[in-house]
Amino acid sequence: MTGFGLTAIVGQHVQASAIASAASADRSLAQSFVESTLTADDMTVSAGSASRAADVQSALLRLVETDADILRLKVHSPNGTILYSDDPTLRGQVEGGDELDEAIATRLPTAHLETEDDATTDGPEAGGVVSAVVIEEYLPILADDGTVRAVFEIYRDGTPLVAAINQAQTSVLSVILLAALVLAVLLWSIFRAAQARLDRQTHDLLEASRRDALTGLLNHGAAVAALVDRLEGAHAMRLQSRVATVGLALIDVDNFRNLNDTHGHAAGDQALLEVSRLLRDELPAGVVLGRFGPDEFVAFTPPEPDLDLVAAIERIRDRLVDLSLQFGASERLPITISAGLSHYPANGEAATELLSQATVALVEAKSSGGNAIRTAIASEFEAKTSQAASFDTLQGLVLVVDARDRYTKRHSEDVARYALFLADQLGVDADVRRPLHVAGLLHDVGKIGIPDTILRKPAALTAEEYEVVKQHVALGDAIVRDLPDIDAVRAGIRSHHERWDGRGYLVGLAGAEIPLVGRMLAVADAFSAMTTDRPYRKALPVQEAIRRLEDAADTQLDPALVVAFVSAIRSVGPEAILRRDRDVEPLRLRPQPRVA
């Protein structure tokens, strides 16, 4: 509509400009004709002779013949009488009209475009009517005193003007339509880009409501909703007699609260990001992963029985062995995870049932010190405790250590293995080996009474906290002191933190005053502590641990035992000493008398 409006306006302006231009040119033509041809006596019909009138008439005809666009020409007196015309028969007639009156009254030229119908007299259209477009001009000729001497009426052929107007309108309309097309394409592109951006923003907003801001994983609500959908799909498969099993795992970052409290939230965030990255990398395709809590993740499989979620989490635990974090001046800190698993339909068919069962399994995994995997079907701890009735009291204590802290249990197993390895080098007899083995497994049993915030603190202990930790020796001795035939084991438990230079605890024994079992455990304990991941730092390389053992000889450790231990390690190789498949025989203790 705008384009057609502009076209009409342009046509009007072109028409007005063309008519005004023609009128201006014709006024000059008329003025020149009057001045060169007509006299004052020629301004009336009756004035002059017939020959004079014929001369003027001839001059007027020549003027018409000279300009092919002039269709008709008349010269009016101020009262409207036709004085001269290209048609001599019109001479003496009186014509009027608004345009003529306006030109006389205003003494200004007037012109307009009009259509005239003429009857055809020849050709195939003879007898018909032809419409002609003409420009009708009224051009007043003024005397010196400003009065109107005569009015020229000129009819010009308007066809060229109409054609020019049509051409101009067509050109303008073409340009406008082209511009409109370009504008339409531009607007379409802009609106499409804007719509795409709005779609992206809408998608991002929806995703932001479903995603955890830190890890980018599904948040708690979105993860539970996805679990519900997956379980509904699995239920539909079962209705079709198809096998459908969904495995669900709750995965917790061990010692997360202590890490946050000790090193700040940035440290906790970094640990969460590292674990989430490994989860993304190692979990099988199709497993849905989300952040379930502050330090918990949830993962569940599609309804495919072949997907082994336990194996995937085990791979993640293996990868975490090589990962460490360091904050400021802290040691390299290990990251471990615990996981509780449940399965549909074995542990329930509803999301709440599976999550509840997995939570119980996770709590069980955490209660054993973390870095463990438990399933709701047959948890490792329940299996152990169900067999505990057939163990004697010392074996029960080993299970207690395992349940209390997984690191302490593994460390104790290593200490027992290293102590027996040292015993082999010294050639001690079986009477020493057996209590040495038991003392190695139970030397840290007193740590079951140390608070988690201290036992698992991911940083160096304060002096006050260290004093609390030192009490685990006395507590361990108190735990085992009433057991029969336990003196050698008690000696190892009580003295494994005594120092060769007498600056150890609990008593401050020095040199040979320290029982042999205690001195051997001290070497094994120091080596295990240095080569095992601790809550406050990563494990040291074996060569670095050996160097530190040698530095501690004659101050903390018995120098002869250090020499024997280090020489044996160098003989078998660092890799061999660390291999867990070199474990000694399992703990077998003499049956204790039972009361019927």
Side-chain angles (χ1 to χ4, degrees):
M1 293 177 65
T2 302
F4 284 112
L6 288 174
T7 301
I9 292 172
V10 168
Q12 291 175 358
H13 279 285
V14 170
Q15 175 180 317
S17 298
I19 291 175
S21 176
S24 177
D26 287 343
R27 185 176 190 184
S28 298
L29 177 66
Q31 186 76 33
S32 175
F33 179 82
V34 169
E35 292 175 354
S36 64
T37 306
L38 297 179
T39 65
D41 294 337
D42 298 328
M43 291 298 121
T44 62
V45 174
S46 59
S49 62
S51 61
R52 175 60 184 168
D55 291 340
V56 173
Q57 189 75 25
S58 297
L60 192 63
L61 289 174
R62 285 195 300 271
L63 183 62
V64 173
E65 293 171 355
T66 302
D67 192 339
D69 287 338
I70 297 178
L71 303 178
R72 189 180 311 158
L73 195 150
K74 301 176 186 177
V75 179
H76 296 268
S77 66
N79 63 5
T81 303
I82 299 175
L83 299 176
Y84 305 100
S85 174
D86 60 318
D87 183 1
T89 62
L90 298 178
R91 179 176 169 84
Q93 295 183 10
V94 178
E95 288 186 355
D98 294 337
E99 292 83 0
L100 178 60
D101 295 340
E102 180 183 354
I104 294 171
T106 63
R107 294 176 292 179
L108 296 174
T110 64
H112 65 276
L113 197 67
E114 68 176 26
T115 302
E116 293 186 348
D117 295 332
D118 293 333
T120 58
T121 58
D122 54 8
E125 298 180 356
V129 177
V130 176
S131 297
V133 180
V134 299
I135 303 173
E136 187 176 358
E137 306 172 7
Y138 292 91
L139 310 171
I141 307 302
L142 303 180
D144 293 339
D145 59 0
T147 60
V148 177
R149 295 177 59 191
V151 177
F152 262 66
E153 180 183 0
I154 299 177
Y155 285 81
R156 283 191 171 274
D157 185 5
T159 303
L161 175 59
V162 172
I165 292 173
N166 290 337
Q167 180 63 39
Q169 289 178 323
T170 301
S171 299
V172 170
L173 186 59
S174 299
V175 171
I176 291 175
L177 291 177
L178 179 60
L181 178 61
V182 173
L183 180 61
V185 172
L186 181 61
L187 290 176
W188 179 81
S189 301
I190 292 173
F191 284 123
R192 183 183 182 187
Q195 186 62 48
R197 184 174 182 180
L198 289 174
D199 291 343
R200 288 195 303 271
Q201 290 176 340
T202 302
H203 178 268
D204 292 343
L205 287 174
L206 291 175
E207 282 299 296
S209 67
R210 300 177 64 249
R211 296 285 175 178
D212 171 56
L214 176 64
T215 62
L217 303 176
L218 294 178
N219 58 27
H220 180 99
V224 172
L227 175 61
V228 171
D229 290 342
R230 183 148 290 184
L231 292 178
E232 288 178 352
H235 184 65
M237 292 175 62
R238 292 185 63 204
L239 292 178
Q240 299 171 5
S241 301
R242 297 165 60 190
V243 177
T245 301
V246 176
L248 180 141
L250 287 180
I251 304 162
D252 185 272
V253 180
D254 293 331
N255 213 23
F256 183 78
R257 178 176 295 178
N258 284 339
L259 181 66
N260 252 352
D261 293 344
T262 304
H263 297 289
H265 293 295
D269 289 348
Q270 186 175 346
L272 290 173
L273 288 172
E274 292 292 345
V275 172
S276 66
R277 178 181 60 81
L278 283 179
L279 289 172
R280 282 193 181 99
D281 292 345
E282 295 297 333
L283 289 177
V287 172
V288 176
L289 178 63
R291 185 176 178 187
F292 197 70
D295 58 342
E296 290 178 336
F297 300 90
V298 62
F300 45 91
T301 67
E304 299 176 10
D306 295 335
L307 281 181
D308 190 350
L309 199 55
V310 174
I313 297 175
E314 286 287 2
R315 288 196 301 271
I316 295 168
R317 291 177 60 203
D318 293 341
R319 290 278 302 277
L320 285 172
V321 171
D322 300 324
L323 181 65
S324 63
L325 300 177
Q326 191 167 13
F327 309 101
S330 74
E331 296 277 2
R332 293 186 305 120
L333 305 177
I335 301 178
T336 60
I337 59 172
S338 297
L341 284 84
S342 60
H343 293 81
Y344 167 92
N347 300 117
E349 297 186 358
T352 52
E353 293 176 318
L354 294 180
L355 289 170
S356 175
Q357 292 290 327
T359 300
V360 172
L362 177 61
V363 169
E364 187 178 311
K366 298 284 289 183
S367 69
S368 64
N371 198 21
I373 300 175
R374 298 288 188 269
T375 67
I377 296 175
S379 71
E380 181 182 344
F381 183 72
E382 289 173 350
K384 287 182 178 179
T385 54
S386 65
Q387 300 169 3
S390 62
F391 289 175
D392 61 18
T393 303
L394 292 180
Q395 291 168 315
L397 288 176
V398 174
L399 292 178
V400 170
V401 172
D402 183 17
R404 177 63 175 82
D405 185 70
R406 172 53 61 93
Y407 161 75
T408 299
K409 193 256 186 180
R410 290 180 177 175
H411 165 67
S412 298
E413 290 174 343
D414 287 343
V415 169
R417 181 161 55 89
Y418 297 148
L420 291 179
F421 175 76
L422 177 57
D424 291 339
Q425 316 312 312
L426 300 178
V428 298
D429 56 28
D431 290 339
V432 176
R433 287 181 61 88
R434 181 184 173 280
L436 179 65
H437 181 206
V438 176
L441 292 174
L442 297 178
H443 74 287
D444 277 343
V445 67
K447 286 185 177 179
I448 63 175
I450 305 300
D452 282 350
T453 54
I454 297 177
L455 189 62
R456 301 173 186 173
K457 182 179 179 180
L461 300 178
T462 64
E464 293 79 6
E465 292 168 338
Y466 184 56
E467 288 300 320
V468 173
V469 170
K470 287 166 62 174
Q471 299 308 310
H472 81 278
V473 174
L475 181 58
D477 179 61
I479 290 173
V480 302
R481 67 185 178 184
D482 293 330
L483 299 178
D485 301 324
I486 202 70
D487 291 342
V489 175
R490 286 186 62 192
I493 293 173
R494 286 182 57 83
S495 63
H496 72 280
H497 279 295
E498 300 288 356
R499 290 172 55 102
W500 185 257
D501 57 10
R503 298 168 58 191
Y505 61 90
L506 284 169
V507 180
L509 302 176
E513 295 177 348
I514 306 171
L516 177 61
V517 172
R519 281 180 278 155
M520 295 174 69
L521 288 178
V523 174
D525 186 29
F527 183 75
S528 173
M530 289 187 288
T531 56
T532 305
D533 283 343
R534 308 296 293 271
Y536 56 86
R537 63 146 176 78
K538 290 284 287 184
L540 298 176
V542 173
Q543 295 301 330
E544 176 63 16
I546 289 175
R547 185 188 67 77
R548 296 191 183 190
L549 277 182
E550 292 175 332
D551 290 344
D554 209 29
T555 54
Q556 176 184 347
L557 305 173
D558 183 336
L561 298 184
V562 170
V563 170
F565 188 72
V566 170
S567 297
I569 291 177
R570 288 173 174 161
S571 175
V572 302
E575 295 78 10
I577 189 64
L578 294 179
R579 283 169 49 197
R580 287 187 172 272
D581 57 8
R582 298 185 73 258
D583 285 346
V584 297
E585 70 278 1
L587 177 63
R588 294 187 180 92
L589 302 176
R590 289 191 301 269
Q592 299 297 319
R594 299 184 182 275
V595 178

